[in-house]
Amino acid sequence: GNSIATGIGSQTFTLSGYGSGTNASATPYADNLLATAGSGTSAGNYNISYTNAGLTINKANAYVIIGSGQSSTYGSTPTINYSYYSTASGTGGSAITTATTGTAVITNAPSATSDAATYSLTYASGLSSTNYSFNPAASAVNYVVNPATLVVTGANNSVAYTGSAQTNSGATATVNGSAATITGNSIATGIGSQTFTLSGYGSGTNA
């Protein structure tokens, strides 16, 4: 407690002035100790001296838990969601809500042009907070990039007989639901500079 028993009869002092703080700090919260004489104790009978110390509050550990079951489509910028927890497993502890600075660096994080595949993700670095040190979770989490969807739709055209071979044209295409540009027989996917060459148009001479 805060009671000092002097060992001289029942005389006591009450100790106060301990350093106190809330946030983590490399600088200790300094003591300003004071011994106050209790009932029946005369401070005049004591030469009181103090050696103050202090309280250092270190950062607590927080674990970056990447959400499971996340995915994106090739060509789209992935969004990787994560939260903070008091245990490395993400269970058996408590969620942590805290203001952070910096950007999380995720090991193996895919980009919009990363191949369609499964990526094993862990937190690496980048986040900071006044009261927490951020660490990777106990286990990596799989993130799936699904293949893009390319849909090519032919056009029904009608022409008059000319005596020469004629070839159809006018197909359209979409990539992930958005219109793609077809120039000649080249389909521009809109994903970087990636293209497909379109062939197989119907061709004939006679009516």
Side-chain angles (χ1 to χ4, degrees):
N2 292 325
S3 180
I4 303 172
T6 65
I8 301 174
S10 59
Q11 296 179 28
T12 61
F13 285 81
T14 298
L15 183 62
S16 62
Y18 280 118
S20 177
T22 301
N23 293 319
S25 174
T27 302
Y29 293 93
D31 293 337
N32 186 21
L33 298 175
L34 176 66
T36 302
S39 177
T41 302
S42 174
N45 291 324
Y46 296 84
N47 288 320
I48 303 173
S49 63
Y50 300 96
T51 301
N52 289 301
L55 172 69
T56 299
I57 300 178
N58 297 308
K59 291 185 178 185
N61 284 321
Y63 297 90
V64 179
I65 308 299
I66 299 171
S68 61
Q70 298 186 73
S71 65
S72 60
T73 301
Y74 180 73
S76 301
T77 300
T79 298
I80 300 172
N81 295 313
Y82 51 84
S83 58
Y84 315 124
Y85 214 73
S86 62
T87 61
S89 64
T91 59
S94 58
I96 293 172
T97 302
T98 182
T100 61
T101 58
T103 301
V105 177
I106 306 294
T107 301
N108 294 329
S111 68
T113 54
S114 295
D115 291 338
T118 298
Y119 296 83
S120 182
L121 306 184
T122 55
Y123 169 75
S125 63
L127 295 174
S128 62
S129 167
T130 298
N131 292 316
Y132 294 93
S133 296
F134 294 96
N135 306 280
S139 301
V141 173
N142 286 339
Y143 185 100
V144 177
V145 176
N146 296 304
T149 300
L150 170 62
V151 177
V152 179
T153 303
N156 290 312
N157 292 305
S158 178
V159 295
Y161 171 74
T162 64
S164 301
Q166 299 186 78
T167 301
N168 199 19
S169 63
T172 59
T174 61
V175 176
N176 293 335
S178 298
T181 301
I182 299 179
T183 303
N185 291 327
S186 179
I187 304 172
T189 65
I191 301 173
S193 58
Q194 297 178 24
T195 61
F196 284 82
T197 298
L198 181 62
S199 60
Y201 278 120
S203 179
T205 302
N206 297 320

